[in-house]
Amino acid sequence: MRILVAGASGLIGNALVERLRARGDEVMRLVRREVRAPEEVRWDARTLDPAVVDAVDAVVNLCGASIGRIPWTPAYRRTLLESRVPPTVAIAEAIVAAADPPSAFVNGSAAGFYGDRPGELLDESSPAGTGFFPELVTAWETAAAIAAGATRVTMARTAVVVARGGGMTPIRLLTRIGLGAGFGRGTQFWPWISLDDEVSALLHLVFSRLEGPVNLAGPTQATSDELTEAFARAMHCPHLLRVPALAVKALGEAGSRLLLDAGRVVPAKLADDGFVWAHPTITDAVRAIA
């Protein structure tokens, strides 16, 4: 197949491109710099020639500035929004205008859609939470839905990706130097997924018949303490410290949302569709990268 990928230079996008190429698929990448290879297409992330999507079988859009950057200043909030919504609108509108639209449009999204929901099991039918993060994700998904009349649209509500890079980097580094710590009470559930399963799930969405929001998360839930302790065990390092909730809140809303919010996110649609996880527990996911 010929797959168009936006956001191919990020952690997930890079891994996805490698997997697609290993499968023998042809990958086209949208880039904002000068074109350096035949498979690259330059764009400004605001407009996209419909002819570009006319030539592909599926589109995967992973554009977006890092949610893990702290603090979320007013300027950076605008960056988070502008790096997601206008590019998604441009791709969706190009799909609508294409003479022969691709068969699937898989758009990035986030489990942050649900907000802070301690005690709740959250599947794809659960409503959005409140606050900046859920509002950001809602705007992102609304932009992707523009293409729904022209192709099958899927929003990949991704949990925290357990990988050697990305949001797990600080936890891995601190644990490795003996500063493994819990955050707040440590009993808050953190939705998670291994990078390997994230890529497999995105491919599943390209080829399946699933549409609308789909939770990309591990099939078993883990608390904050269970995740950080898994790193300590895998690295044979201590896990003796605890960062009080007040100290986390001093980082602003980003610290609270990323480290203290609770969400027992259930990947109901993936499970019902027969998806098989390579790393079904947080211990499996951490051992694969520690």
Side-chain angles (χ1 to χ4, degrees):
M1 294 182 69
R2 176 180 284 185
I3 312 292
L4 178 67
V5 181
S9 61
L11 174 72
I12 298 171
N14 185 61
L16 175 63
V17 168
E18 288 185 1
R19 184 82 67 85
L20 287 168
R21 286 174 173 164
R23 282 172 35 91
D25 295 309
E26 181 182 351
V27 181
M28 295 174 59
R29 296 182 295 155
L30 292 179
V31 299
R32 303 185 198 186
R33 50 168 172 74
E34 291 293 331
V35 170
R36 299 173 184 167
E39 71 272 13
E40 295 181 345
V41 177
R42 189 175 184 183
W43 76 320
D44 62 3
R46 291 297 183 273
T47 58
L48 183 63
D49 185 347
V52 174
V53 298
D54 221 9
V56 301
D57 299 299
V59 178
V60 180
N61 174 31
L62 302 172
C63 286
S66 174
I67 290 289
R69 176 177 162 181
I70 296 175
W72 291 345
T73 62
Y76 196 62
R77 290 186 188 213
R78 287 193 297 272
T79 297
L80 291 172
L81 183 68
E82 291 297 310
S83 65
R84 285 169 170 77
V85 177
T88 301
V89 169
I91 294 172
E93 289 181 342
I95 290 173
V96 171
D100 184 17
S103 60
F105 177 31
V106 178
N107 197 71
S109 184
F113 171 86
Y114 302 107
D116 184 23
R117 309 279 278 277
E120 293 185 52
L121 282 176
L122 304 166
D123 65 17
E124 290 86 353
S125 67
S126 301
T130 58
F132 170 73
F133 203 173
E135 290 170 2
L136 171 67
V137 179
T138 298
W140 196 7
E141 293 188 354
T142 300
I146 292 171
T151 189
R152 177 175 59 87
V153 179
T154 310
M155 295 84 160
R157 288 181 182 164
T158 297
V160 175
V161 177
V162 180
R164 289 192 174 91
M168 290 293 100
T169 300
I171 291 175
R172 290 182 68 249
L173 292 178
L174 288 172
T175 302
R176 191 173 297 280
I177 63 175
L179 297 177
F183 298 91
R185 296 180 63 182
T187 56
Q188 66 273 27
F189 281 90
W190 280 359
W192 62 274
I193 187 170
S194 73
L195 179 59
D196 186 47
D197 283 331
E198 170 73 10
V199 172
S200 295
L202 289 171
L203 287 174
H204 187 88
L205 297 184
V206 168
F207 298 110
S208 77
R209 300 305 304 165
L210 290 175
E211 58 185 334
V214 178
N215 291 338
L216 270 56
T220 58
Q221 287 81 53
T223 65
S224 166
D225 272 359
E226 287 170 343
L227 187 149
T228 55
E229 287 170 357
F231 273 101
R233 287 195 303 273
M235 295 180 175
H236 306 288
C237 294
H239 185 276
L240 305 174
L241 306 176
R242 182 160 301 280
V243 181
L246 282 176
V248 175
K249 291 177 180 178
L251 299 173
E253 184 181 4
S256 296
R257 298 293 75 81
L258 297 174
L259 299 175
L260 300 181
D261 278 3
R264 298 184 67 182
V265 175
V266 179
K269 284 188 175 181
L270 275 181
D272 290 345
D273 207 45
F275 182 77
V276 177
W277 282 263
H279 306 113
T281 71
I282 190 60
T283 298
D284 297 327
V286 170
R287 281 177 178 168
I289 65 161

